[in-house]
Amino acid sequence: MSLDIIKLLPDSVANQIAAGEVIQRPASVVKELIENAIDAGATQIDLIVKDAGRTFITVIDNGCGMSETDARLCFERHATSKIKSADDLFAIKTMGFRGEALASIAAVAQVELTTRRKEDEVGTKIRIDGSKVMEQLPKPMSVGTNFTVKNLFFNVPARRNFLKSNEAELRHINEEFFRITIMNPEIGFTFVSNDKELFHLYPGTLKQRIVGLFGKDYDGKLLPVNQITETVTIDGFIVKPEYSKKTRGEQYFFVNRRFIKHAYLHHAVENAYKELIPQDCLPGYFLNIQIDPREIDINIHPTKTEVNFIDVKLIYAIMHSAVRKAIGQNNLAPTLDFDINPNMGIDFGAASQMNRPVITPKTDFDPTFNPFKINPIKHQQQNWRIAYDTSGDVVGNTNFDEDNEENKPLDEEQKSLFIQLKQSYIVTAVKSGIIVVDQHLAHERILYEKYLKEMGTEMNVSQQELFPHHISLNINDASILKEIKPELERIGFRIEAMNNTTFVINGTPVDCKGSDVISIIDRILEDYKNNMSGNQSDRKLNLARSLASQMAVKSGKTLSTLEMQDIIDRLFGCAVAEVSPNGRKIFTIINVDDIKTRLNK
């Protein structure tokens, strides 16, 4: 007789599994607790964290509070006050509704809750360790709720070990804080990390909230957006095209004031900025889509950051129109005016005057001219380049010194010849034939290995900037720059922090001469975010790869013979000469036999 093998999981295990979906890191706890405080009607919410939330997270609000029974029941799975039937799922107006967050948090942390309603004389205190209720007793306190979460993942060490550095985890908390606070400007917020106040946001308008989060300079960067239709209302702000950045960070969509991610709608905004910003830049926006909850489905992802629209193409069209309208109303988009003077304000000179006599032009002609006559070309060495002039497609140098044997790819008796093809490829002879080298990829490999070597040494040579560069960043990008500052300084950058978000660049590597330093820093930060890793060696590899890609000589740049020869010599001095840091093939060799085969076909 076979035994049954399917059994119900214990509640503690089921809660830990659920917690794996909802609580991924400290930022997830912050998100859930602040959203509950907003749903409770709070007008002031305080966030306090220590060690990026690993050891301590507290959220204090002055909302409606909970009764003694509700305080105990809120930690049960699927216990919620926000929905009562399946129909309510199609009319969600609150931040949370599933009833999983508090149960999930309590399953993987030590939680202490104190709460009191206005009508109660005293509040309730509950302490839970890993889903086990340790104590519940009355506690005098003011109206509202205090949630304290200690030692997150204390009973799931594997999850705790997968957390990133404190700097990285704090950036995730910052991002969740931004996503929630932007669209709730009527609520006051404070954010304290390791006893240092990072934000103190007062109740106000949406614009005041954006300025409070991203800096005072945003006061003059924003354009209002307001589009009202029968289906949807889109309002908020976009960033003026001239202030677009190469880094992500100021792109925020909200549906009914809840943050969402939506690549399709992001394309609508990008398309509205088309031809107004550089191709490698991103528009900034803070836009809320107010729509009937029945027109969307937000119950498709545990974190509720993804939504489905019934008619997403209509939303796309309205979004594009709203952004384009906001840009046009501020005279930032090119327009065609068909009512202007036909002369377009151009002065065609006195010759256009009607009273000036017309002078017959003089013409000269040669009666012996024959357009079909062919002039013989003298086959001399110095004229071959003229006869086959490719108007800049090939740049070369055939003047060589036969006595100079240094750095020759051929034998001593053979001559050194370097040709630049299409300002992109270096062509030269080798013993077996000719080699064609991609100049950008070759230089990228050279710089990549150079930067990696320099990051393992003391500070390197730096060129002092005559006029130091100032750069202002959001708090997350500023945190990244502080984190990678030691590596940047080892390769020649000299960076000084003026405050939490503003830096002065006093020196740059020698390779940066003539480059846009601010754009380089922006691209480094963007590449870092795309390849973010807590591994120190990976961080160096990504940083070296990003810098090398930006600083390497670009396709389209004309090189001298000495520059071409220097790239070839340094390339074959690299540890890996065949492929670029991104794995692309750097050169190809065409041997003599291949040439003979092609010519004898």
Side-chain angles (χ1 to χ4, degrees):
M1 182 177 178
S2 60
L3 297 176
D4 297 331
I5 59 174
I6 297 178
K7 298 179 181 178
L8 288 175
L9 287 172
D11 288 343
S12 59
V13 177
N15 285 341
Q16 286 191 17
I17 293 173
E21 296 181 356
V22 180
I23 308 301
Q24 301 171 351
R25 54 181 7 117
S28 305
V29 176
V30 170
K31 172 183 181 295
E32 300 293 348
L33 295 184
I34 294 182
E35 286 182 347
N36 282 346
I38 292 174
D39 286 340
T43 58
Q44 178 64 43
I45 301 173
D46 302 322
L47 169 64
I48 305 168
V49 302
K50 289 184 179 179
D51 300 325
R54 293 171 187 265
T55 59
F56 186 89
I57 300 172
T58 291
V59 173
I60 304 170
D61 70 69
N62 63 351
C64 63
M66 290 181 280
S67 68
E68 181 180 357
T69 302
D70 287 346
R72 175 64 187 86
L73 191 59
C74 72
F75 289 103
E76 297 296 328
R77 286 191 68 197
H78 309 307
T80 179
S81 63
K82 298 161 188 175
I83 60 173
K84 294 180 174 61
S85 67
D87 292 339
D88 294 337
L89 288 173
F90 302 99
I92 296 295
K93 296 182 179 179
T94 54
M95 301 293 287
F97 58 87
R98 286 192 176 94
E100 292 179 333
L102 297 183
S104 298
I105 294 170
V108 293
Q110 298 167 334
V111 179
E112 184 178 293
L113 162 67
T114 57
T115 183
R116 179 192 156 213
R117 298 182 301 176
K118 185 177 181 180
E119 59 267 33
D120 297 331
E121 294 184 0
V122 294
T124 300
K125 175 183 177 181
I126 296 178
R127 188 166 59 85
I128 299 177
D129 284 5
S131 295
K132 295 180 180 179
V133 178
M134 309 303 290
E135 68 174 0
Q136 179 172 349
L137 46 85
K139 181 177 176 61
M141 61 173 294
S142 57
V143 174
T145 301
N146 297 5
F147 263 105
T148 298
V149 178
K150 299 179 181 178
N151 300 321
L152 187 63
F153 300 129
F154 79 100
N155 54 352
V156 193
R159 292 291 303 277
R160 191 176 180 90
N161 291 337
F162 273 96
L163 294 178
K164 306 297 185 183
S165 65
N166 281 357
E167 292 82 3
E169 294 299 337
L170 187 59
R171 283 195 292 271
H172 285 289
I173 294 176
N174 286 335
E175 188 58 36
E176 291 295 350
F177 185 77
F178 285 12
R179 292 173 178 180
I180 296 172
T181 57
I182 288 173
M183 277 298 154
N184 291 280
E186 72 283 358
I187 301 175
F189 291 90
T190 63
F191 181 9
V192 177
S193 174
N194 291 340
D195 301 322
K196 180 180 180 181
E197 186 174 84
L198 300 183
F199 293 98
H200 195 128
L201 306 174
Y202 296 96
T205 64
L206 175 58
K207 186 174 184 180
Q208 289 171 335
R209 178 53 50 86
I210 295 171
V211 171
L213 288 169
F214 294 93
K216 294 180 179 178
D217 55 337
Y218 267 76
D219 191 34
K221 293 182 178 180
L222 301 175
L223 297 177
V225 175
N226 187 261
Q227 184 74 49
I228 302 175
T229 69
E230 293 181 359
T231 307
V232 64
T233 296
I234 297 176
D235 62 343
F237 290 91
I238 59 173
V239 178
K240 293 179 180 178
E242 62 265 34
Y243 296 109
S244 62
K245 295 182 178 181
K246 294 186 178 181
T247 59
R248 291 171 293 121
E250 284 79 47
Q251 291 85 39
Y252 291 91
F253 278 130
F254 303 85
V255 170
N256 298 339
R257 308 215 304 180
R258 179 199 302 277
F259 174 80
I260 65 163
K261 297 177 182 178
H262 210 291
Y264 188 55
L265 294 184
H266 174 76
H267 182 270
V269 177
E270 273 193 323
N271 204 23
Y273 275 82
K274 196 172 183 181
E275 299 176 359
L276 297 175
I277 63 176
Q279 193 170 9
D280 59 346
C281 286
L282 296 168
Y285 51 82
F286 311 86
L287 298 173
N288 180 51
I289 303 167
Q290 199 68 33
I291 191 171
D292 189 330
R294 291 172 294 184
E295 297 292 317
I296 59 173
D297 180 8
I298 62 174
N299 194 28
I300 62 174
H301 192 275
T303 60
K304 301 181 286 291
T305 57
E306 297 177 18
V307 300
N308 281 337
F309 293 90
I310 290 179
D311 192 349
V312 69
K313 291 184 178 179
L314 176 62
I315 306 300
Y316 181 102
I318 297 173
M319 178 69 70
H320 180 274
S321 173
V323 174
R324 198 69 183 174
K325 176 183 172 185
I327 296 173
Q329 285 178 338
N330 288 271
N331 298 320
L332 297 176
T335 58
L336 293 176
D337 190 347
F338 295 99
D339 297 325
I340 60 176
N341 190 298
N343 290 330
M344 301 293 287
I346 302 174
D347 181 9
F348 291 98
S352 63
Q353 298 175 8
M354 295 298 295
N355 58 355
R356 180 168 180 171
V358 178
I359 300 174
T360 304
K362 295 181 180 180
T363 59
D364 295 323
F365 66 96
D366 181 3
T368 64
F369 174 71
N370 181 2
F372 302 102
K373 182 179 179 181
I374 300 175
N375 293 321
I377 298 175
K378 296 181 180 179
H379 297 284
Q380 297 180 1
Q381 177 70 25
Q382 65 267 27
N383 289 334
W384 76 270
R385 194 183 304 280
I386 299 174
Y388 299 99
D389 182 15
T390 54
S391 301
D393 284 353
V394 177
V395 178
N397 189 344
T398 56
N399 297 322
F400 45 80
D401 184 358
E402 294 186 20
D403 295 327
N404 183 8
E405 300 174 3
E406 187 178 356
N407 296 326
K408 291 183 181 179
L410 300 176
D411 293 336
E412 296 179 7
E413 68 274 8
Q414 293 177 297
K415 299 175 182 180
S416 174
L417 172 66
F418 290 92
I419 296 174
Q420 190 182 21
L421 179 64
K422 291 287 185 181
Q423 283 76 49
S424 300
Y425 304 97
I426 301 170
V427 183
T428 189
V430 292
K431 292 180 180 179
S432 60
I434 59 174
I435 184 172
V436 182
V437 181
D438 186 308
Q439 65 188 41
H440 173 73
L441 297 182
H443 198 210
E444 189 176 342
R445 164 56 66 178
I446 292 166
L447 294 179
Y448 174 73
E449 294 195 6
K450 172 178 177 282
Y451 293 144
L452 275 183
K453 183 178 179 182
E454 289 175 352
M455 285 183 201
T457 62
E458 296 300 321
M459 288 189 181
N460 215 289
V461 177
S462 174
Q463 62 179 11
Q464 190 74 17
E465 293 293 308
L466 183 61
F467 300 102
H469 304 273
H470 289 72
I471 181 170
S472 295
L473 304 169
N474 62 51
I475 193 166
N476 279 349
D477 287 348
S479 172
I480 293 174
L481 186 56
K482 291 174 185 176
E483 189 174 337
I484 63 177
K485 184 170 174 277
E487 285 83 5
L488 290 175
E489 290 186 335
R490 286 193 184 96
I491 60 178
F493 283 97
R494 299 293 178 265
I495 302 174
E496 180 183 355
M498 302 298 291
N499 53 44
N500 285 339
T501 58
T502 304
F503 300 83
V504 176
I505 304 171
N506 294 309
T508 57
V510 177
D511 301 312
C512 287
K513 186 176 181 180
S515 301
D516 185 345
V517 178
I518 302 301
S519 293
I520 290 173
I521 296 295
D522 282 343
R523 177 51 60 190
I524 288 172
L525 295 174
E526 182 64 14
D527 289 344
Y528 184 91
K529 285 184 282 190
N530 290 335
N531 303 288
M532 194 173 290
S533 171
N535 188 299
Q536 185 79 7
S537 61
D538 285 349
R539 191 170 76 189
K540 291 181 179 179
L541 293 176
N542 290 329
L543 182 56
R545 188 182 298 117
S546 175
L547 271 171
S549 175
Q550 294 181 77
M551 303 314 305
V553 61
K554 301 296 187 289
S555 296
K557 177 177 173 57
T558 302
L559 302 177
S560 68
T561 300
L562 289 177
E563 289 172 327
M564 288 188 280
Q565 186 164 357
D566 179 62
I567 287 177
I568 297 297
D569 292 342
R570 292 169 67 189
L571 173 64
F572 289 102
C574 290
V576 180
E578 293 80 9
V579 294
S580 71
N582 290 319
R584 296 174 62 189
K585 190 175 180 181
I586 294 176
F587 63 84
T588 186
I589 295 177
I590 305 173
N591 60 47
V592 175
D593 292 337
D594 290 336
I595 297 174
K596 288 180 180 178
T597 302
R598 287 176 177 272
L599 290 175
N600 295 328
K601 279 186 177 180

